[in-house]
């Protein structure tokens, strides 16, 4: 029996995860993600799904991040009617993320039409909240340790850290077995346990976000503490664009620990200004048994954090002159409330903008870290005089060594390994390590390619 895989995303970039697998007489779409970052990638989101995707027998999500789940409303809007399988926590988080994504797209379209900065006669959202709700209704929760079936194909989930509910996916039909890693977490993540051992696989799809890098050994919490102290002393505030799910909760945890240790002022206000992050935090409380935290610390994850409610409160916060730490989404400053804070704070040199995670090439966050002296926000060019830093120690992705350690857990080499979900240099670097250190048959597929395995 042979497998066939068509790579519809995350095959030449670190975004837009979509892999169509034909196995056991069935067609299964692994992930259904949005493209982010460079315009040439984002424009792929607007291409209608072809019949091979609409005709899939099932969709399976590795986790809820939008680059893995955010295109589901498009697929359903165009006629997909099959099941969507995900772990229970992924199902809950995907609901929050997809509804927020739809809301932001609707708002961006309205704003573009109101102020006339769309190049089109009428700006339209990629999908609406109604589209998102229809997609969410199709998601069926499957707990790790249990299985779903698609015809004769057995679908299993193995927790891999990284994010609440994130799992590697196993597709098995008879003796044929494919494993898709999804995004693999770290051995010493702040919130999540280390990834569980890799299931045996004849064919393996492995992510490569950090395929050419190791996480710095520097203490990211200590670096953040120094930034906060220095900024407060200047009378400024720290803005932390953060992914609303996972990263925002990790930052709240670190800031609480820094306050408790006396490393930052204990009365310094900390704001969480993202409706999605507030909802996600509630889900982290609900699923706290999945976290690596002690029960007491998990129960008090958001104590002392000021949750910003409506948009009016958020706008008042942008005008505040009191030093504070503001955690707001999105993590790459591509949309959401963080843009209003960025617009207000970037031109003022006493403030500090801190990115606590990977920035996709072409994103506003990546341009700021590359030293941009101005950035375009809501059609206006905003000067950048605030300090800008990146703290990579908060990443939820396994680095190159951690990925290799996870792969070495396999007792037998896969028949074929595909390196996906990475920038070209990262994917190729991991390919070389797998080939040289493990001796496996491995390659990096191209976008749009169909491969026999």
């Amino acid at each position: 029996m042979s497998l066939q895989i068509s790579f519809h995303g995350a095959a030449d970039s670190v975004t837009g995860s979509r892999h169509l697998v034909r196995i056991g007489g069935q067609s299964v779409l692994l992930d259904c993600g949005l493209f982010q970052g460079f315009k040439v990638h984002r424009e792929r989101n607007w291409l209608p799904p072809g019949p091979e995707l609409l005709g899939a027998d099932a969709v399976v999500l590795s986790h809820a991040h939008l680059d893995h789940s955010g295109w589901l409303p498009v697929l359903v809007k165009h006629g997909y009617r099959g099941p969507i399988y995900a772990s229970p926590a992924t199902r809950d988080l995907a609901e929050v993320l997809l509804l927020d994504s739809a809301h932001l797209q609707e708002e961006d379209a309205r704003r573009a039409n109101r102020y006339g900065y769309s190049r089109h006669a009428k700006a339209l959202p990629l999908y609406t909240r109604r589209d998102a709700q229809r997609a969410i209704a199709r998601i069926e929760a499957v707990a790790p340790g249990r299985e779903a079936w698609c015809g004769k194909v057995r679908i299993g989930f193995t927790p891999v850290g990284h994010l609440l509910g994130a799992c590697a996916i196993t597709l098995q039909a008879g003796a044929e077995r494919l494993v898709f890693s999804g995004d693999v977490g770290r051995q010493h993540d702040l919130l999540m346990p280390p990834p569980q051992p890799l299931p045996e696989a004849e064919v393996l799809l492995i992510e490569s976000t950090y395929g050419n890098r190791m996480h710095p050994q520097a203490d990211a919490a200590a670096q953040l503490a120094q930034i906060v102290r220095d900024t407060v002393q200047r009378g400024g505030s720290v803005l932390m664009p953060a992914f609303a799910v996972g990263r925002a909760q990790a930052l709240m945890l670190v800031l609480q620990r820094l306050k408790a240790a006396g490393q930052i002022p204990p009365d310094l206000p900390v704001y969480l200004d993202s409706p999605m992050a507030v909802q996600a935090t509630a889900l982290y409380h609900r699923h706290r048994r999945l976290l690596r935290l002690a029960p007491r610390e998990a129960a008090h994850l958001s104590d002392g954090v000021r949750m910003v409610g409506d948009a009016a409160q958020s706008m008042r916060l942008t005008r505040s002159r009191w030093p504070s730490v503001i955690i707001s989404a999105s993590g790459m400053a591509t949309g959401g409330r963080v843009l209003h804070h960025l617009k207000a704070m970037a031109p003022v040199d006493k403030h500090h903008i801190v990115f606590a995670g990977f920035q996709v090439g072409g994103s506003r966050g990546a341009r700021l870290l590359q030293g941009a002296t101005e950035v375009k926000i809501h059609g206006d060019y905003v000067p950048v005089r605030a300090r800008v830093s990146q703290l990579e120690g908060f990443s939820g992705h396994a680095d190159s060594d951690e990925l290799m350690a996870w792969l070495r857990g396999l007792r037998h080499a896969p028949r074929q390994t595909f390196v996906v979900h990475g920038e070209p240099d990262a994917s190729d670097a991991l390919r070389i390590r797998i080939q040289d250190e493990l001796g496996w048959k491995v390659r990096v597929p191209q976008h749009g390619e169909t491969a026999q395995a």
Side-chain angles (χ1 to χ4, degrees), residues 36-278:
Q36 299 168 316
F38 292 112
K39 184 178 180 182
V40 68
H41 291 150
R42 297 196 313 272
E43 287 179 338
R44 294 174 181 169
N45 293 324
W46 294 89
L47 298 175
E52 68 280 6
L53 296 184
L54 293 175
D57 296 298
V59 177
V60 190
L61 297 183
S62 63
H63 64 290
H65 277 148
L66 286 178
D67 58 331
H68 293 258
S69 74
W71 208 58
L72 279 173
V74 176
L75 192 69
V76 172
K77 179 172 73 170
H78 281 82
Y80 175 73
R81 295 293 179 265
I84 302 167
Y85 297 114
S87 73
T90 293
R91 193 263 172 222
D92 290 348
L93 286 177
E95 179 173 7
V96 173
L97 281 156
L98 292 176
L99 288 174
D100 185 80
S101 174
H103 170 72
L104 290 178
Q105 291 178 68
E106 289 177 326
E107 284 296 304
D108 286 346
R110 277 194 286 268
R111 188 179 295 110
N113 290 323
R114 185 181 307 128
Y115 295 108
Y117 58 79
S118 172
R119 293 184 296 112
H120 305 282
K122 182 179 180 182
L124 297 173
L126 179 63
Y127 52 81
T128 65
R129 284 178 61 86
R130 176 60 184 149
D131 295 326
Q133 289 165 344
R134 291 172 60 214
I136 292 161
R138 307 204 70 80
I139 303 178
E140 301 178 24
V142 182
R146 300 196 173 185
E147 296 168 337
W149 288 86
C150 177
K152 296 180 180 180
V153 179
R154 186 169 60 188
I155 303 168
F157 296 82
T158 302
V160 289
H162 177 65
L163 182 74
L164 197 70
C167 290
I169 299 165
T170 300
L171 303 179
Q172 184 166 1
E176 199 67 287
R177 190 164 35 195
L178 176 143
V179 174
F180 169 49
S181 70
D183 284 353
V184 181
R186 304 181 63 181
Q187 283 294 317
H188 304 289
D189 189 81
L190 283 163
L191 292 171
M192 300 305 302
Q196 291 185 12
L198 175 61
E200 294 298 310
E202 277 64 57
V203 178
L204 174 66
L205 276 63
I206 179 70
E207 67 112 335
S208 56
T209 308
Y210 277 78
N212 61 344
R213 285 174 291 170
M214 262 64 77
H215 292 303
Q217 296 300 310
D219 186 341
Q223 290 176 320
L224 178 57
Q226 187 66 54
I227 288 172
V228 171
R229 290 194 300 268
D230 291 347
T231 305
V232 169
Q233 192 172 32
R234 293 194 304 272
S237 293
V238 176
L239 174 63
M240 304 195 75
F243 301 109
V245 181
R247 194 63 43 79
Q249 292 73 33
L251 291 173
M252 287 193 299
L253 174 67
V254 169
L255 290 165
Q256 282 197 11
R257 289 176 176 176
L258 292 176
K259 283 188 174 185
Q263 294 186 45
I264 62 175
D267 57 348
L268 179 68
V270 175
Y271 296 94
L272 183 63
D273 186 10
S274 162
M276 180 168 59
V278 172

Side-chain angles (χ1 to χ4, degrees), residues 268-304:
L268 179 68
V270 175
Y271 296 94
L272 183 63
D273 186 10
S274 162
M276 180 168 59
V278 172
Q279 293 177 66
T281 300
L283 292 177
Y284 269 73
H285 283 293
R286 182 191 303 175
H287 293 282
R288 60 180 177 264
R289 62 181 179 78
L290 299 179
L291 305 179
R292 73 183 308 159
L293 304 180
R296 176 175 173 78
E297 192 167 40
H300 297 279
L301 181 64
S302 55
D303 285 6

